[in-house]
Amino acid sequence: MSLHDLEKTFQDKIDKEIKIEPKDWMPEAYRKTNLRQISQHAHSEIVGMLPEGNWITRAPSLKRKAILIAKVQDEAGHGLYLYSAAETLGTSREQMVEDLNSGKAKYSSIFNYPTLTWADMGAVGWLVDGAAILNQVMLCRTSYGPYARAMVRICKEESFHQRQGFETLLVLSKGTKEQKAMCQDAINRWWWPSLMMFGPKDSESTNSDQSIKWKIKRKTNDELRQQFVDMITEQIKLLGMTLPDESIRWNKQRNHYDFGEINWDEFWSVVKGNGPCNKQRLEAKNKDHQEGLWVRKAALAYAEKKRLRVTVKVA
Ligand code: FAQ
């Protein structure tokens, strides 16, 4: 088949909503875009364990500790499904981990903010998982098969995460004066960084147009961000708290909430490695990687032993 025919067959499949699978022919740029996005997504899940892991030893009760441990373990699982999906595009997990640890690979800006109080566990669950899930529900219909299938499983767990975050804040919002203040303070600090998770505005998004044509993304960054603002502005009423944006108000013409301008200088500064915790996150990842060397060596030695046993039996 000529290149033109291959491209046509590929685009026909996308148009007919047939998933692209690892062994199918695909344009090099489609492969690279998926690899970039899926590996960044995997890194986000893995680095995302750090700010929450910070509170496991200080959770206020055994029940809260068990829930938090389960949630952090879920994030690890999400990272692993996603690394496996990315590997189908012709890279190795080792290479992706090396790119993360060297600072070459990106991960979500949100995980470069510190978790200062217990209320942050609620705010991360409600706002960060809430933002993540809106994006990920869309990705359940993404055109690359392994990514879409990983997302279906991940979304089931994320919706539980969001509800547990909201419930954590609900308890604080009905508590003492100090607990209420802690709840409001966490919402104030996590609101704007959560809006940044959706990426630059559409006019600045370098990848969106092509990704939408290929149905990798089904909605633009601004569409998803608006959906998030509309959802949270309603949910926060149940908490009796406020969002740190005085310009939020219902717009009858648009049928959406208007909201204020994001600090894009702050967003790009965090993406470029200069956020409050970028350095700390990379140091933690590198330390864990070194300390886990013996585990990787032991697993490889065990796999080799098993392989030799099978070879001897076959002989
Ligand atoms: N942070 O052209 P676009 C979670 C980069 S998972 C850092 O619009 P695209 C679960 C972007 O990579 C959260 N960089 O890019 C959890 C690109 O740079 P490049 C992660 C960002 O890909 C919860 C450049 O800016 N979710 O939270 C960010 O079309 C709690 C231009 O941007 C995903 O990864 C950012 N926020 O759209 C875990 C979902 N935004 O690569 C633990 C999958 C943009 O060209 C605890 N990803 N950039 O050098 C996506 O849907 C997309 O990649 C977007 C960005 C929407 C994030």
Side-chain angles (χ1 to χ4, degrees):
M1 252 202 252
S2 69
L3 183 61
H4 176 265
D5 289 344
L6 287 167
E7 277 171 355
K8 190 176 171 319
T9 312
F10 169 82
Q11 193 58 49
D12 281 351
K13 273 195 198 156
I14 301 261
D15 296 341
K16 288 184 190 146
E17 300 289 335
I18 299 171
K19 295 276 177 249
I20 306 300
E21 297 298 339
K23 289 188 177 159
D24 293 346
W25 184 90
M26 62 186 84
E28 183 56 13
Y30 176 86
R31 189 187 68 79
K32 278 197 179 143
T33 299
N34 267 293
L35 183 52
R36 175 187 65 79
Q37 183 169 320
I38 303 171
S39 59
Q40 284 177 5
H41 194 164
H43 297 325
S44 304
E45 301 280 356
I46 296 298
V47 179
M49 294 165 74
L50 294 170
E52 291 187 309
N54 182 33
W55 278 90
I56 290 176
T57 54
R58 292 176 287 160
S61 69
L62 184 59
K63 184 181 121 191
R64 294 286 176 196
K65 192 195 282 270
I67 295 171
L68 188 57
I69 291 175
K71 180 181 190 296
V72 173
Q73 279 178 339
D74 283 353
E75 310 301 359
H78 300 173
L80 301 191
Y81 307 152
L82 288 164
Y83 281 131
S84 299
E87 278 186 316
T88 63
L89 290 159
T91 188
S92 67
R93 173 117 156 246
E94 287 74 18
Q95 183 61 52
M96 287 184 274
V97 171
E98 198 183 305
D99 289 347
L100 172 65
N101 290 350
S102 68
K104 188 175 157 206
K106 287 194 172 77
Y107 58 86
S108 182
S109 50
I110 192 76
F111 301 116
N112 293 306
Y113 290 85
T115 43
L116 303 178
T117 70
W118 170 250
D120 288 21
M121 294 303 94
V124 168
W126 178 45
L127 296 175
V128 176
D129 283 278
I133 198 168
L134 281 186
N135 179 290
Q136 292 173 168
V137 163
M138 158 190 92
L139 291 173
C140 290
R141 295 190 301 119
T142 192
S143 57
Y144 188 55
Y147 194 20
R149 289 189 287 274
M151 278 299 127
V152 172
R153 234 174 129 168
I154 291 176
C155 278
K156 287 189 184 150
E157 292 174 353
E158 295 289 27
S159 60
F160 157 73
H161 293 175
Q162 197 203 7
R163 267 177 283 158
Q164 72 79 35
F166 186 77
E167 195 267 343
T168 301
L169 291 185
L170 194 60
V171 170
L172 292 175
S173 74
K174 292 186 173 145
T176 61
K177 204 169 124 237
E178 287 77 13
Q179 285 170 323
K180 284 181 183 156
M182 196 161 88
C183 178
Q184 183 62 63
D185 168 64
I187 294 170
N188 291 350
R189 283 182 290 103
W190 287 92
W191 173 246
W192 291 105
S194 299
L195 289 187
M196 295 174 194
M197 284 176 73
F198 296 97
K201 47 185 164 190
D202 292 352
S203 53
E204 310 286 317
S205 166
T206 41
N207 302 293
S208 278
D209 282 352
Q210 186 58 64
S211 288
I212 285 192
K213 277 184 201 134
W214 279 331
K215 297 185 182 169
I216 295 173
K217 284 164 90 166
R218 300 272 179 162
K219 290 183 181 173
T220 70
N221 300 356
D222 286 338
E223 281 168 350
L224 285 170
R225 191 166 14 244
Q226 180 69 62
Q227 208 181 324
F228 180 69
V229 171
D230 292 347
M231 178 180 86
I232 296 295
T233 307
E234 287 302 318
Q235 289 179 354
I236 199 165
K237 292 177 186 166
L238 298 170
L239 293 177
M241 298 281 143
T242 55
L243 291 169
D245 179 359
E246 286 179 359
S247 45
I248 294 198
R249 59 182 57 85
W250 182 250
N251 182 323
K252 255 199 278 179
Q253 275 78 43
R254 294 198 313 118
N255 235 355
H256 287 294
Y257 280 99
D258 288 337
F259 58 100
E261 184 66 12
I262 290 169
N263 181 345
W264 293 111
D265 290 342
E266 175 182 325
F267 170 73
W268 289 116
S269 164
V270 176
V271 171
K272 286 181 186 145
N274 303 314
C277 299
N278 294 61
K279 201 166 160 273
Q280 189 183 327
R281 299 291 183 241
L282 275 196
E283 276 169 10
K285 281 317 302 161
N286 278 286
K287 182 169 166 282
D288 289 351
H289 194 66
Q290 269 163 21
E291 288 176 358
L293 181 62
W294 72 269
V295 180
R296 295 193 297 281
K297 276 191 179 162
L300 283 176
Y302 179 68
E304 178 63 7
K305 216 160 130 184
K306 245 174 116 181
R307 191 186 65 80
L308 287 175
R309 246 188 248 142
V310 173
T311 320
V312 170
K313 263 195 203 154
V314 171

